[in-house]
Amino acid sequence: MSEQPKRQKAFDYYAEEVTDTVTRYFLNANGALFVFENVPARVNRVTGEQLFAPATVRRIQQIAMSTQKPDRIVQEKVYDWERAA
C-alpha cells in the first residue's frame, strides 16, 4: 500500500520536467542519413530524452522514402570509431 504514492510521486516529478518544444529528428534508412528540423516533441529537461508522437514518426518515414525535395542538403564527416580511436 505504501508503494503506490512513491510511484505516483516519481511520475509527477518526471511529468514536471517534460516540456513541449521542437527539435531535430535523425533517421538512418538504407544507409542514408535524413535530418528533420523543427519536429514537435516532448523533451525531458533533465535527461534530454526526446519523445515523439507515433504519427509524427510515421510521417517522417513517409517523407524520407518519398521523392519530396529536401529544403537543403548538408555534407558531414563520418568516422569509424574502431579505426579512428
Side-chain angles (χ1 to χ4, degrees):
M1 209 158 110
S2 63
E3 288 184 34
Q4 186 63 25
K6 289 180 186 176
R7 285 188 197 157
Q8 184 62 39
K9 185 172 180 133
F11 178 76
D12 289 344
Y13 172 78
Y14 177 80
E16 290 174 5
E17 298 301 325
V18 175
T19 183
D20 291 325
T21 187
V22 292
T23 187
R24 287 190 179 122
Y25 187 98
F26 297 92
L27 174 66
N28 185 344
N30 299 328
L33 178 64
F34 298 87
V35 180
F36 290 83
E37 296 181 317
N38 299 312
V39 179
R42 300 196 57 159
V43 178
N44 184 304
R45 295 184 303 231
V46 175
T47 65
E49 179 181 15
Q50 298 177 341
L51 307 168
F52 298 94
T56 300
V57 175
R58 282 192 298 274
R59 184 65 185 128
I60 285 171
Q61 292 169 341
Q62 290 172 345
I63 293 168
M65 296 302 117
S66 74
T67 58
Q68 183 173 334
K69 184 179 177 186
D71 293 317
R72 68 181 189 278
I73 297 175
V74 295
Q75 183 176 347
E76 293 296 326
K77 298 176 184 177
V78 178
Y79 297 95
D80 181 327
W81 177 254
E82 290 183 6
R83 289 194 324 220

